[in-house]
Amino acid sequence: MGEDHILKREVTRDGEKIDLQPREFLLLKHFMERPGRVQTRTVLLESVWGLHFDPKTSVVETHISRLRNKIDKPFDKHYLVTLHGVGYVLQP
Amino acid sequence: MKLRPLSWSMRFALALSAVFAIGTLSAGGLSYLFLSREMTQRLEADVQSSAESLARIAATGDRTDLREQIIAQVRSSRDGASLFAFVDAPSMQTLGSLQLAAPFEGPRRLLVGQDIPESELTGTESAEAYRAFGIRTDIGWIIVARDEAWVAESGEILIQTTAWSLILATLLSIGLALFIARKNERRVDRMDRVLDAVGAGHLDQRIKDDGGDDLADIAARVDQMLDRLEAGVESIRQVSTDVAHDLRAPLARLRMRLEPQALSVEVPMETRHEIGSALMDIDAISGTFDAILRLARLQSGTVERRNDPVDLGGMATTVWEILQAPAEEAGHALDLVIPSTRIQVYGDEDMLSQALTNLVVNAVEHCQPPAVIRITVGMRGEQPFLAVIDDGPGIPEADRARVLERFVRLDASRSVPGTGLGLSLVAAIADLHDAKLVLEDNAPGLKASILFAQATTSPAVLTKA
């Protein structure tokens, strides 16, 4: 994984600049601060969206899939992994 | 008061007044008949006895005494109410105040202007007819007549008295009947309102009628039934809350035992996937239980509600931003329409966000894509509102009160995943904010609004700086 310029909100991978929406950026930031640790849906909702309740809708799933399309799909190695029924993890 | 066909009590009141009036009228009519007959009889007896007493003088043969008696009687009856005549037998000369074409015997009714020339009368204007009695004695005929005017006058007095008492009594009875009817109508209205409210889900409403009559008895029994209904509903609510509470702990343990297996690299991939699916089912069950418990706490009022100023527009914008992606993913367009002025209420922003989220998620799930779903904030008169409007299938009017109850899911939406608690939760949150969840037809679609009551939440409408 490339470097992450938090202040400038810039993301690059293998030197390629990646455009992220604000929530996608927050989501990626949350994962990068916890490499290799499984993050549940509830934790992500609280940390990234500030929701203290389950909106019973695919907020997390949608953003994970959009984020994955940008940071993983164009590349060979996939870092952001879904652990079915448990949560998500950004592999180190 | 509601406009309705004439109520039973009003009808009863009017019928009673009518019966009373008819009764008074027939009683008056009958007494008039009896009275005038009795008076006429007495009049007849009077003239007869008067004629007989003069006849006794005539029987003595003393014409001078008879003449004096008649003159005295005529003099004492100047007003012409009584008339006297003595027709001398051989000469056919008449003495007294009554001139007749021919003398007669026995009772007779004499008409003024026909049997008695009007010019003969001295002063009586009202008399139309006289009752007379004639007796034949050895020396001539003695005839005494008395006018009927006082019979008619007595009748008139009776008719007037009856008429006045009829008018007074009818007015009084109608007034009293209307008073009683209005009172009963108000009581029936109250029952109506309470039953309407209960039908709309407010099970704590009671009629509480202490009128002490049969209506009050019915009201008391309805109240008893409502007590039982409320207790029944409460116990169902309690049971579901207890079940949710008791099963949460074993569910959590189950999850804790399965999760390491889902993550273990030693477990084959396929098994891990299966365990993951099981975990998702467990999460769905826990989610429902959490919603039941949360709803129970909201409804019982044991949950602490913050009372901060909440900018409805800002809050709606946040919810809109979060839910836009999932709405788009489902194939819908999610709009936001907020006013340029700041609309503020006092409340719990977290709870209100959840309520608004639930309404949007409901629309997302129940509308066939592509639907246009709109979040709006505004003022309805003095009342601030938060609303979610869609152009989906809507909710039939008959079901709108029902869908607010817990676990109620309409047949049309059985295929959509959900707990049947979403709207109950929104209604409970609205309740805690002295607001109302209002479901309306958007033709087509549904308009779900949370309408705040200005009086109690005192929203401040401030112009944005």
Side-chain angles (χ1 to χ4, degrees):
Chain A
M1 193 90 188
E3 49 188 304
D4 158 10
H5 312 284
I6 293 184
L7 284 176
K8 287 199 256 168
R9 301 216 151 192
E10 259 180 25
V11 178
T12 54
R13 179 171 170 180
D14 300 345
E16 267 181 61
K17 196 166 171 256
I18 300 172
D19 265 341
L20 290 183
Q21 297 290 314
R23 290 282 175 196
E24 293 162 358
F25 180 83
L26 286 176
L27 189 60
L28 179 60
K29 177 169 170 279
H30 178 94
F31 277 115
M32 291 185 75
E33 284 163 0
R34 298 158 184 84
R37 274 156 60 193
V38 180
Q39 301 302 308
T40 64
R41 207 169 161 271
T42 316
V43 166
L44 293 175
L45 279 171
E46 275 225 43
S47 156
V48 179
W49 284 272
L51 291 180
H52 308 298
F53 57 90
D54 183 354
K56 302 271 178 217
T57 189
S58 57
V59 186
V60 179
E61 293 79 350
T62 310
H63 281 88
I64 291 277
S65 120
R66 288 181 179 182
L67 180 61
R68 189 179 276 144
N69 280 344
K70 291 179 181 174
I71 63 165
D72 272 349
K73 215 175 174 188
F75 304 93
D76 289 338
K77 185 163 166 40
H78 293 179
Y79 290 103
L80 188 53
V81 175
T82 302
L83 297 167
H84 193 59
V86 182
Y88 307 91
V89 65
L90 188 69
Q91 289 174 343
Chain B
M1 195 185 298
K2 203 190 289 183
L3 206 66
R4 63 166 105 201
L6 217 54
S7 74
W8 66 270
S9 44
M10 206 59 102
R11 278 182 225 188
F12 180 71
L14 292 178
L16 211 62
S17 299
V19 166
F20 186 78
I22 291 170
T24 313
L25 212 55
S26 10
L30 277 179
S31 4
Y32 177 74
L33 277 180
F34 285 129
L35 184 81
S36 50
R37 207 169 67 185
E38 175 70 18
M39 301 271 264
T40 309
Q41 273 169 4
R42 277 175 62 182
L43 192 62
E44 280 168 356
D46 212 32
V47 287
Q48 187 177 355
S49 76
S50 189
E52 276 166 357
S53 75
L54 287 172
R56 271 194 295 278
I57 299 168
T60 62
D62 187 345
R63 284 180 194 221
T64 324
D65 193 13
L66 180 66
R67 205 164 290 196
E68 274 168 14
Q69 276 294 327
I70 288 177
I71 290 167
Q73 300 245 16
V74 167
R75 209 171 276 155
S76 72
S77 175
R78 291 244 163 135
D79 59 352
S82 298
L83 300 174
F84 304 90
F86 170 67
V87 183
D88 196 75
S91 69
M92 291 307 277
Q93 277 185 337
T94 303
L95 169 77
S97 50
L98 180 62
Q99 290 294 328
L100 289 166
F104 57 86
E105 278 185 88
R108 187 171 285 191
R109 186 161 186 261
L110 303 175
L111 294 174
V112 174
Q114 192 179 326
D115 300 306
I116 309 168
E118 244 165 297
S119 54
E120 289 292 318
L121 298 174
T122 54
T124 311
E125 303 133 33
S126 61
E128 287 173 5
Y130 282 74
R131 289 282 163 172
F133 198 87
I135 295 174
R136 171 86 165 91
T137 66
D138 295 338
I139 54 172
W141 288 268
I142 288 166
I143 293 160
V144 175
R146 188 161 288 175
D147 82 22
E148 286 181 354
W150 67 278
V151 174
E153 270 164 28
S154 312
E156 253 168 52
I157 290 171
L158 183 72
I159 288 172
Q160 275 179 13
T161 318
T162 310
W164 278 112
S165 56
L166 182 69
I167 290 169
L168 266 174
T170 306
L171 284 180
L172 271 175
S173 77
I174 287 180
L176 183 69
L178 284 181
F179 173 74
I180 294 171
R182 280 292 291 273
K183 211 174 123 189
N184 279 344
E185 225 161 62
R186 274 202 295 275
R187 292 164 70 193
V188 172
D189 269 353
R190 164 144 186 82
M191 287 189 192
D192 224 33
R193 276 200 307 278
V194 167
L195 291 178
D196 274 352
V198 170
H202 302 285
L203 294 181
D204 57 334
Q205 297 283 307
R206 294 294 179 273
I207 301 167
K208 286 192 192 118
D209 188 311
D210 49 7
D213 57 3
D214 49 353
L215 206 58
D217 271 358
I218 292 172
R221 287 168 68 175
V222 169
D223 280 350
Q224 275 173 17
M225 264 167 52
L226 291 178
D227 283 345
R228 279 205 292 277
L229 183 68
E230 193 185 19
V233 168
E234 183 48 47
S235 78
I236 291 171
R237 178 175 299 178
Q238 192 56 49
V239 165
S240 62
T241 308
D242 290 349
V243 167
H245 189 265
D246 291 352
L247 292 188
R248 244 166 38 139
L251 265 181
R253 284 200 298 275
L254 185 59
R255 200 183 198 296
M256 272 160 62
R257 277 159 70 176
L258 285 178
E259 208 180 80
Q261 303 301 312
L263 294 173
S264 167
V265 280
E266 286 153 35
V267 177
M269 192 61 204
E270 215 167 287
T271 315
R272 274 160 58 187
H273 198 268
E274 275 302 302
I275 294 172
S277 297
L279 287 175
M280 284 163 89
D281 284 342
I282 291 174
D283 286 348
I285 299 170
S286 311
T288 301
F289 286 168
D290 284 348
I292 292 174
L293 292 170
R294 188 167 168 74
L295 181 58
R297 277 200 297 272
L298 286 172
Q299 285 177 336
S300 64
T302 50
V303 65
E304 187 79 22
R305 173 174 83 77
R306 301 174 66 91
N307 204 34
D308 308 324
V310 178
D311 169 19
L312 290 183
M315 189 205 82
T317 309
T318 309
V319 170
W320 170 73
E321 194 259 315
I322 291 172
L323 296 178
Q324 223 183 1
E328 273 170 18
E329 207 72 10
H332 302 301
L334 185 63
D335 283 0
L336 174 71
V337 177
I338 54 170
S340 54
T341 50
R342 180 184 163 96
I343 295 179
Q344 184 175 284
V345 298
Y346 284 95
D348 189 313
E349 181 152 5
D350 246 15
M351 283 190 195
L352 292 174
S353 297
Q354 176 164 21
L356 185 59
T357 303
N358 276 9
L359 292 179
V360 175
V361 171
N362 261 349
V364 167
E365 284 179 351
H366 291 282
C367 293
Q368 280 291 331
V372 178
I373 300 164
R374 171 166 300 169
I375 301 174
T376 79
V377 170
M379 297 291 293
R380 190 181 284 186
E382 297 284 291
Q383 296 177 282
F385 72 85
L386 263 177
V388 174
I389 305 170
D390 65 54
D391 56 1
I395 298 176
E397 183 160 11
D399 293 322
R400 282 184 208 148
R402 216 159 61 80
V403 291
L404 301 185
E405 290 165 29
R406 34 158 75 187
F407 301 123
V408 169
R409 309 202 58 205
L410 300 178
D411 290 337
S413 63
R414 284 279 163 207
S415 55
V416 180
T419 56
L421 292 167
L423 281 179
S424 317
L425 213 61
V426 177
I429 289 171
D431 233 34
L432 276 178
H433 286 81
D434 291 318
K436 253 179 102 157
L437 171 59
V438 184
L439 301 178
E440 290 161 303
D441 199 353
N442 189 39
L446 181 71
K447 179 176 184 180
S449 320
I450 298 174
L451 198 58
F452 294 87
Q454 189 216 19
T456 44
T457 52
S458 53
V461 183
L462 308 166
T463 311
K464 232 176 206 169

